[in-house]
Amino acid sequence: MRPRFALRQAAFAALTANAIRPLPGFRTGIPAFFAGWLTDELAPHLLGAATADAASQVLRRRATPAGMLVAGANIAGLAYLVARSTRSRQEVSTALSSGLGPDHETLLDPPADEDLRLPLATIASPFSFERRRRSLGVQVHRDVPYGEHPTRHRLDVYTATPAPAAGAPVLLQVHGGGWTIGNKEQQALPLLARMAAKGWVCVTINYRLAPRHPWPAQIIDVKRALAWVKDNIADYGGDPTYVAITGGSAGGHLSSLAALTPNDPVWQPGFEDADTTVQVAVPHYGVYDFAGATGLRSAELLRDTFLARRILQRDPATEPEAFEAASPLLRITPDAPDFFVIHGAHDTLVPVGQARAFAERLRAVSQKSVTYAEFGGAQHAFDIFPSIRSTHLLRAVDRYLTWHHRTSQAVARAEQAR
């Protein structure tokens, strides 16, 4: 029994070490992500389990020096991960002040009591999405068709109970999954429930997936969903003139590209005249460089080993323009909407260099505001379920979107008064 304790703690210590400093290299990116993502975001739970495990061995007099040494290292590493996560509050506060100006708080309400402390019960039970949604009084109108495909052209609408009467701001969520997997019920659930409870109308969509449906089917479907929102969201109390778009990973790519290419007829076949503009984009850990324009080796490898073969199904050497057109980094114009770009510093699936280059390019070209938040130590997909870090991000996105909507309303009132 004694060696099992040491081996168990050694296995968890290896996971902790990878979360602290992920394995380097493109080919280790996927295993490093899966090993580090849950370990980092569930560090408080693992810390409690590791401490209890070690304590039980001591009480039962089964502890060995080697086992306790490994356990001590694991516990110390997990405590470091917890402490690093708590710094997220300051990271997003600094990002908002830098991107929006120190006086942006004047348009926001003082933080509620629950926003000044961590929701320990929620973090302790992070996967109780449906129970929390119902407790907030949020209803979901499921599987509303927005196109012809029987399963992928479906969306869900989240509203408060009762739904807003009219004029509520709208948030459209685009799921991730490498353009090949995923669905609308899996991602951004805490954000959708929170914003709907605060009076927003939130929409989350499915879209056609590669390789069965090669690019650009995915961006066409996002545009089609935007056109549906413009035509139908008033029936749910939403304001079609104010639409924010968000998404993570592939959804971060698609939401950014949609925001940067409004009303592009090439990606609106059969609905070329539809309005697909958005007022603001909040991409999370997105892919911004399909073409390898950044010169990052990781971007070039992603293009050549995955995007070319499974998503676009084209050769970047002979058809580089297809990859360039699909790159948000290369579609930035002075007319780009406001952006809040979010990424983790330890993302091994989409290294942070893409986000840094994207935010830098936005700041150089766009006439609108650019806010960039980089989370120290965070992996890909760190906001999927409630954790210390994702709680601070959720509050920051809430305050950013609230600020943006109120600013837009103030500008509209000023223009009407002229």
Side-chain angles (χ1 to χ4, degrees):
M1 293 295 293
R2 292 181 182 181
R4 292 184 183 179
F5 169 66
L7 290 174
R8 185 167 62 246
Q9 288 289 339
F12 280 107
L15 293 174
T16 302
N18 175 72
I20 294 173
R21 186 172 293 277
L23 295 171
F26 178 79
R27 299 194 181 280
T28 59
I30 293 177
F33 158 67
F34 282 109
W37 165 52
L38 290 175
T39 303
D40 203 355
E41 300 311 314
L42 294 176
H45 307 71
L46 297 175
L47 176 59
T51 303
D53 189 17
S56 69
Q57 296 296 312
V58 171
L59 292 173
R60 296 157 73 180
R61 298 185 179 181
R62 292 180 177 178
T64 63
M68 293 306 296
L69 181 64
V70 175
N74 184 34
I75 290 169
L78 289 167
Y80 169 77
L81 292 177
V82 172
R84 189 170 68 182
S85 293
T86 62
R87 293 199 289 270
S88 299
R89 180 175 182 175
Q90 184 58 46
E91 289 170 338
V92 292
S93 176
T94 300
L96 291 179
S97 293
S98 176
L100 306 180
D103 60 345
H104 74 279
E105 294 280 355
T106 60
L107 280 175
L108 298 172
D109 300 325
D113 289 343
E114 60 266 23
D115 283 341
L116 296 176
R117 59 178 181 269
L118 284 171
L120 298 180
T122 300
I123 293 173
S125 181
F127 302 109
S128 302
F129 298 119
E130 285 299 304
R131 177 174 57 81
R132 276 194 295 275
R133 176 183 64 77
R134 289 192 297 268
S135 71
L136 291 171
V138 172
Q139 60 182 325
V140 185
H141 310 269
R142 296 195 182 278
D143 293 324
V144 180
Y146 71 89
E148 296 179 355
H149 195 281
T151 58
R152 300 312 302 180
H153 286 165
R154 295 292 182 270
L155 56 81
D156 296 343
V157 182
Y158 287 63
T159 67
T161 305
V170 179
L171 176 65
L172 176 66
Q173 152 69 19
V174 185
H175 73 75
W179 307 270
T180 62
I181 59 173
N183 64 67
K184 56 187 168 54
E185 293 90 4
Q186 295 175 337
Q187 298 173 27
L189 301 182
L191 177 62
L192 295 169
R194 183 184 181 101
M195 299 311 295
K198 291 199 166 189
W200 287 58
V201 175
C202 300
V203 180
T204 180
I205 68 169
N206 281 343
Y207 52 86
R208 288 172 294 168
L209 301 172
R212 174 174 292 184
H213 301 282
W215 181 267
Q218 297 72 38
I219 188 63
I220 290 172
D221 287 356
V222 173
K223 300 271 192 175
R224 190 182 301 276
L226 278 168
W228 181 94
V229 166
K230 300 288 185 174
D231 290 340
N232 297 278
I233 206 63
D235 295 340
Y236 299 87
D239 177 4
T241 69
Y242 184 90
V243 179
I245 191 167
T246 188
S249 194
H253 163 260
L254 291 167
S255 60
S256 298
L257 192 61
L260 292 167
T261 58
N263 307 328
D264 186 339
V266 174
W267 287 338
Q268 295 182 197
F271 59 106
E272 291 87 352
D273 295 332
D275 179 11
T276 57
T277 59
V278 301
Q279 280 59 57
V280 60
V282 188
H284 295 52
Y285 38 86
V287 179
Y288 305 110
D289 181 15
F290 269 39
T294 56
L296 295 168
R297 183 58 178 158
S298 59
E300 295 170 347
L301 287 169
L302 181 67
R303 176 196 63 195
D304 296 340
T305 64
F306 181 69
L307 296 174
R309 296 178 182 179
R310 290 184 60 82
I311 311 307
L312 278 75
Q313 299 175 23
R314 299 184 183 187
D315 185 351
T318 58
E319 299 181 84
E321 64 280 356
F323 294 81
E324 293 165 358
S327 298
L329 180 72
L330 301 178
R331 303 302 299 267
I332 299 169
T333 69
D335 296 326
D338 298 281
F339 264 84
F340 182 13
V341 181
I342 296 157
H343 219 91
H346 280 180
D347 192 325
T348 60
L349 295 186
V350 186
V352 69
Q354 286 201 35
R356 292 171 180 169
F358 183 60
E360 181 179 355
R361 180 68 176 163
L362 278 169
R363 287 173 176 145
V365 176
S366 174
Q367 297 178 356
K368 297 291 182 66
S369 70
V370 180
T371 302
Y372 175 64
E374 184 174 308
F375 288 79
Q379 255 289 0
H380 201 73
F382 63 88
D383 66 326
I384 295 294
F385 56 84
S387 66
I388 295 173
R389 181 181 284 118
S390 68
T391 295
H392 291 309
L393 171 61
L394 180 63
R395 292 169 177 171
V397 172
D398 175 356
R399 293 182 74 76
Y400 175 86
L401 288 173
T402 301
W403 170 87
H404 190 275
H405 182 237
R406 291 180 180 178
T407 300
S408 298
Q409 287 181 310
V411 171
R413 287 193 297 268
E415 291 179 348
Q416 291 174 357
R418 290 177 182 176

